[in-house]
Amino acid sequence: MTKSRSSRSRSKRRSGASRPWLGWIIKLSIVALVLLAGVAVYLDAVVQEKFSGKRWTIPATVYARPLELFVGQKLDKDDFLTEVDALGYRREKSVSGPGTVSVASSAVEMHTRGFRFYEGTEESQRIRVRFSGDFVAGLTRMDGGELPVARLEPLVVGGLYPAHNEDRILIKLDQVPPYLVETLVAVEDREFFDHFGVSPKSIARAVWVNLTAGEVRQGGSTLTQQLVKNFYLTNERSLSRKATEAMMAVLLELHYDKPEILEAYLNEVFLGQDGRRAIHGFGLASQYFFGRPLAELKLQHVALLVGMVKGPTYYNPRRHPERAMERRNLIIDLLAEQQVVSPEEAAQARQAPLGVTQRGSLADSSYPAFLDLVKRQLREDYRDEDLTEEGLRVFTSFDPIIQAKAEKAMTDTLKRLGKAAEGVEGAMLVTNPETGELQAMLGSRHPGFAGFNRALDASRPIGSLIKPAIYLAALEKPSQYTLTSLLEDEPFSVKGTDGKVWKPQNYGRTAHGTVYLYQALANSYNLSTARLGLDLGVPHVLKTLARLGASPDWPAYPSMLLGAGGLRPIEVAGVYQTIASGGFNTPLRAIRSVVAADGEPLSRYPFKIEQRFDPGAIYLTQYAMQRTMVEGTGRSVYNQVPKSLALAGKTGTTNDSRDSWFAGFSQDLLAVVWLGRDDNGKTSLTGATGALQVWADFMRRADPLPLQMPVPDNVSMAWVDARTGEGTLENCPGAVQMPYIRGSEPAPGPGCGIQAPAESVMDWVRGWLP
């Protein structure tokens, strides 16, 4: 009995000694559960806050002008097909659905995709476009009936990206092509529709495969876990991160249904890198790799994109086509094994090429100089976060066909100039003379260069490009100056207030005696121009330049009359825009309208116009600038284009040929070209041998409309003697017609008077012949 009590006593002591440890374990377990609950509550709040709110910051998308089709439109069939190809239309024997096109000898049949513009939605439709030469000769619906106008969706120029440079095109689950969901689930998560965020079966299978292989070959993450990792977490590899991922996946599935999670995954998954831009989501990946909307993808395209989820860099089809092909075909075989597709469909898909677009096509190019201008103009009305986060759609006047021709002209001409162009940079702008809309821009001689934008920021002396402003100022005084007024092209000097002497010289250091006013401009004579500018007054000339659209802070020194002052190429384009548009000042613009992500119209940018000059004075100035192209410094242009274009323009060269300029226009295109060195060093290029050659090459490629100048009401044509400039009769030898502002024309003589030598008359007349 005593022994039994003693045994029970020792047992109690031992039990009592162990209870504190048990208590601590229980307490720690409770604390752990409380902490875990706290973590779960916190993670639950994180999951719901981001997933229920604005899930992604979407950059603004910048679009080119839409290609509008109508009968009589000047549009070459090859240019049309270039843009259609860039938009990702697929050429087939017969049109089978949206995004397909069928090409015949003189006609193109296509099924447009439709697009939501600022003004409303352009519906998808089947159309037939017939071409004759360089014009659209017919536009009909394929089901019959004439079509007044059709508009294709615009090409994407680029985006305005946030700091992390993520980009995506948001898609809805009902917009995905056949097989995408089935393929994704089959490859990445077969139990997706059955598990609750994590899959014990998948984890067990992955552990077994990795243990037997002796290396990591398979992961056990579900689609939900992958979404959580990409959406909320980092790529850190640790047990704590994996545990957090699993918990958040379960919480996500508690609050949201499978279709919503799947849709988020389709928009979030990383599928490639385009320079600094990260390609997220299947919507953007479809455009980036195939140049077409996601809904138009076939089985082989879907298999390739899903295969890239495992390793977007490793399976990049542009860099590793063989590797990508093998992965794609493996997935197609898997789909056949699981009876997602038939053996026949699988065999056909395996035989198809990868079908990815080539880098460098219009669809893949970037246009940093033009986008730079768009950003600057947008920032006048929108905050930076609006532009990088709200998914705005920006419609512009950018013309990808014109841009491609400008790039080609710059590249090929500088290559042709050889050593003379070594170290030379360039800039170029192309506008519509009637609207002031910018259609193309180069900020460098290198297409795609994203650094210093010379078109917008390089202020350089403009040389003789200022001369039309001087002659316009004179022609505004018809009682004093006409195109046949006589000017003295002789040496002179002027002493400034600082005691320095300014002594201008002609290029080639040759004086030309007495010349007509139009000849001085056409041949860019410095001596006669400087004399004229001093007679008018330097301040008056600078005021005329400001009325034309430039507002330089130049001192009123005589040297300004020969272009010693600097302007940026875009300012030069604005000046010549006013001349080309008949004296109507139209501020240059790149943006047409802005639409919110939900399609709500936000703002329009209609062109503004203000008449600043008498049409008659502008007409005479244009007339003289046409003479520049026939007999003056721009005459080499007609080695590349026909004289029937009747182009107008002006060369510009600065001291030591540091800057080579040309500005000129046709009826529908105005272009400004600058060439020079960034360090302001000397070159061997004049305006005629450098910039003009780029301009002429561009005009040859662009094939513009001939310049047609309606004669203003206050201008009349008068017959004058080619040698003396005096009025004469139409049937007199050497008589030519010249335009004058009414009241300033010379009175016709009583007879033919003294005849000019036949040789000089014929030389004069020959210069006017086309």
Side-chain angles (χ1 to χ4, degrees):
M1 178 74 77
T2 304
K3 184 176 179 182
S4 177
R5 287 197 193 101
S6 176
S7 177
R8 285 198 296 270
S9 176
R10 286 195 301 271
S11 176
K12 286 180 180 178
R13 284 198 298 271
R14 286 195 299 270
S15 176
S18 64
R19 281 194 190 112
W21 292 103
L22 180 61
W24 279 108
I25 290 172
I26 293 172
K27 290 177 183 178
L28 288 173
S29 298
I30 292 172
V31 170
L33 287 173
V34 170
L35 289 176
L36 185 62
V39 170
V41 170
Y42 168 74
L43 292 179
D44 188 61
V46 171
V47 166
Q48 291 192 68
E49 180 183 11
K50 187 172 182 181
F51 208 79
S52 297
K54 188 176 71 173
R55 296 176 186 172
W56 297 283
T57 57
I58 308 298
T61 302
V62 181
Y63 293 94
R65 57 93 188 97
L67 185 58
E68 293 187 342
L69 303 169
F70 53 89
V71 174
Q73 176 189 14
K74 188 176 186 302
L75 179 64
D76 178 82
K77 177 187 169 187
D78 290 339
D79 286 344
F80 173 68
L81 290 175
T82 296
E83 184 150 349
V84 166
D85 290 341
L87 288 169
Y89 280 76
R90 304 177 302 284
R91 298 197 188 191
E92 299 181 353
K93 291 182 178 180
S94 61
V95 174
S96 60
T100 59
V101 61
S102 175
V103 182
S105 59
S106 62
V108 176
E109 294 181 351
M110 65 188 306
H111 194 152
T112 66
R113 295 190 176 112
F115 191 82
R116 188 171 183 177
F117 293 95
Y118 183 96
E119 306 84 358
T121 300
E122 184 87 7
E123 298 296 339
S124 173
Q125 57 184 332
R126 294 161 61 94
I127 65 174
R128 185 173 188 271
V129 189
R130 185 167 56 84
F131 294 89
S132 178
D134 293 340
F135 291 87
V136 175
L139 182 63
T140 56
R141 294 184 178 88
M142 286 175 61
D143 57 1
E146 296 294 323
L147 192 60
V149 64
R151 185 163 51 167
L152 303 187
E153 72 272 24
L155 193 71
V156 174
V157 175
L160 308 182
Y161 304 112
H164 50 69
N165 283 309
E166 284 188 11
D167 195 10
R168 54 177 51 80
I169 296 175
L170 294 183
I171 58 169
K172 298 290 186 183
L173 203 54
D174 59 5
Q175 297 174 324
V176 303
Y179 306 121
L180 177 55
V181 171
E182 293 94 331
T183 304
L184 185 63
V185 170
V187 174
E188 294 293 325
D189 186 0
R190 296 181 190 178
E191 287 84 31
F192 174 74
F193 291 104
D194 300 317
H195 63 62
F196 51 89
V198 294
S199 174
K201 186 189 298 184
S202 296
I203 294 173
R205 183 171 57 246
V207 169
W208 173 254
V209 169
N210 295 336
L211 285 175
T212 55
E215 60 181 357
V216 177
R217 286 191 174 181
Q218 194 176 104
S221 294
T222 64
L223 283 176
T224 312
Q225 286 177 270
Q226 292 180 39
L227 174 62
V228 165
K229 183 186 72 172
N230 295 332
F231 201 59
Y232 297 101
L233 306 175
T234 67
N235 288 324
E236 174 195 359
R237 293 195 173 193
S238 67
L239 288 176
S240 62
R241 203 273 296 159
K242 197 69 178 174
T244 301
E245 173 191 298
M247 185 180 294
M248 293 180 78
V250 172
L251 291 169
L252 191 65
E253 297 244 8
L254 283 175
H255 293 292
Y256 305 98
D257 58 25
K258 294 286 187 180
E260 193 168 3
I261 292 171
L262 188 59
E263 184 175 283
Y265 183 93
L266 294 173
N267 284 305
E268 174 61 26
V269 63
F270 173 70
L271 286 168
Q273 194 75 29
D274 178 27
R276 292 183 298 173
R277 179 177 67 145
I279 307 298
H280 283 263
F282 284 89
L284 181 59
S286 176
Q287 288 285 2
Y288 180 66
F289 288 108
F290 303 114
R292 67 181 71 172
L294 181 64
E296 295 179 12
L297 296 192
K298 305 298 184 185
L299 172 60
Q300 62 269 21
H301 307 125
V302 168
L304 176 59
L305 291 183
V306 171
M308 291 174 62
V309 171
K310 183 178 180 180
T313 302
Y314 188 80
Y315 293 111
N316 186 313
R318 290 196 179 103
R319 294 183 179 178
H320 311 292
E322 298 85 0
R323 193 183 293 168
M325 178 73 81
E326 183 179 357
R327 173 72 175 164
R328 185 203 72 172
N329 289 346
L330 180 67
I331 289 173
I332 293 173
D333 290 342
L334 175 65
L335 295 177
E337 289 173 12
Q338 297 187 12
Q339 298 183 342
V340 175
V341 299
S342 68
E344 294 76 19
E345 289 175 311
Q348 185 177 1
R350 283 179 58 93
Q351 294 300 316
L354 288 176
V356 296
T357 58
Q358 294 297 314
R359 301 290 292 164
S361 70
L362 288 179
D364 294 327
S365 297
S366 61
Y367 310 99
F370 186 83
L371 282 174
D372 186 15
L373 176 63
V374 170
K375 291 178 190 176
R376 298 187 195 196
Q377 293 188 347
L378 282 172
R379 282 174 181 148
E380 296 176 5
D381 299 310
Y382 296 92
R383 302 173 303 167
D384 279 353
E385 50 266 40
D386 294 331
L387 302 177
T388 58
E389 299 178 3
E390 299 300 328
L392 301 181
R393 297 193 300 154
V394 183
F395 298 99
T396 73
S397 54
F398 182 80
D399 189 319
I401 299 297
I402 294 296
Q403 175 76 21
K405 293 180 178 181
E407 291 179 357
K408 191 70 172 171
M410 177 73 77
T411 301
D412 286 4
T413 302
L414 293 183
K415 186 182 297 183
R416 189 169 63 249
L417 290 174
K419 290 185 177 180
E422 288 181 3
V424 169
E425 262 297 347
M428 185 174 180
L429 300 101
V430 182
T431 74
N432 181 318
E434 297 178 352
T435 65
E437 290 187 326
L438 277 150
Q439 298 178 305
M441 180 185 295
L442 299 177
S444 166
R445 66 179 289 173
H446 304 289
F449 176 73
F452 180 57
N453 191 341
R454 295 160 187 83
L456 302 183
D457 297 322
S459 183
R460 305 290 295 229
I462 61 172
S464 295
L465 288 190
I466 194 177
K467 289 177 180 176
I470 299 173
Y471 288 89
L472 174 58
L475 293 168
E476 284 190 294
K477 303 174 183 291
S479 61
Q480 295 177 250
Y481 299 100
T482 69
L483 289 177
T484 53
S485 293
L486 298 176
L487 302 179
E488 291 300 317
D489 192 68
E490 295 290 351
F492 70 97
S493 60
V494 177
K495 191 172 186 179
T497 55
D498 58 358
K500 293 184 178 179
V501 176
W502 182 62
K503 190 175 182 180
Q505 292 181 328
N506 280 333
Y507 184 78
R509 302 179 182 275
T510 300
H512 302 90
T514 302
V515 296
Y516 291 129
L517 182 144
Y518 87 87
Q519 289 177 316
L521 176 57
N523 293 282
S524 201
Y525 294 154
N526 288 339
L527 296 175
S528 45
T529 300
R531 285 179 180 273
L532 177 61
L534 290 173
D535 288 345
L536 293 167
V538 178
H540 180 68
V541 171
L542 296 184
K543 287 180 181 177
T544 303
L545 188 63
R547 289 164 61 204
L548 283 168
S551 300
D553 186 20
W554 294 352
Y557 296 157
S559 59
M560 298 299 131
L561 297 172
L562 298 181
L567 289 179
R568 296 171 294 133
I570 192 169
E571 292 177 296
V572 172
V575 168
Y576 278 77
Q577 181 79 30
T578 305
I579 296 174
S581 63
F584 290 89
N585 179 257
T586 306
L588 302 184
R589 64 192 180 106
I591 306 169
R592 291 180 174 177
S593 59
V594 179
V595 174
D598 61 2
E600 178 188 357
L602 295 180
S603 52
R604 299 200 73 164
Y605 294 79
F607 75 93
K608 302 173 183 178
I609 190 166
E610 177 189 356
Q611 185 171 358
R612 293 189 177 179
F613 292 92
D614 170 69
I618 288 286
Y619 180 85
L620 299 185
T621 304
Q622 289 183 340
Y623 202 88
M625 292 172 67
Q626 284 183 306
R627 300 298 304 154
T628 299
M629 313 301 282
V630 174
E631 65 182 60
T633 55
R635 60 186 178 275
S636 67
V637 73
Y638 290 122
N639 294 333
Q640 299 196 48
V641 300
K643 279 191 175 183
S644 58
L645 288 179
L647 302 168
K650 185 70 190 74
T651 53
T653 310
T654 60
N655 290 342
D656 298 318
S657 297
R658 297 176 192 271
D659 300 276
S660 170
W661 288 93
F662 192 83
F665 49 92
S666 67
Q667 185 67 25
D668 56 340
L669 292 176
L670 180 150
V672 172
V673 179
W674 168 82
L675 300 177
R677 296 177 61 94
D678 285 339
D679 61 6
N680 199 34
K682 298 179 181 180
T683 75
S684 60
L685 300 174
T686 65
T689 61
L692 173 60
Q693 301 309 309
V694 176
W695 190 91
D697 188 280
F698 166 72
M699 285 293 176
R700 175 181 61 81
R701 297 173 189 273
D703 188 23
L705 294 172
L707 180 58
Q708 297 175 346
M709 304 188 305
V711 181
D713 292 338
N714 66 336
V715 170
S716 63
M717 304 299 292
W719 292 95
V720 297
D721 185 288
R723 185 179 65 86
T724 65
E726 296 178 352
T728 187
L729 301 178
E730 177 180 357
N731 58 353
C732 290
V736 295
Q737 257 191 329
M738 292 287 288
Y740 294 86
I741 294 178
R742 292 188 187 279
S744 67
E745 65 270 28
C752 291
I754 302 174
Q755 296 183 11
E759 185 178 353
S760 65
V761 171
M762 291 309 298
D763 286 344
W764 206 92
V765 171
R766 267 196 294 269
W768 287 81
L769 295 176

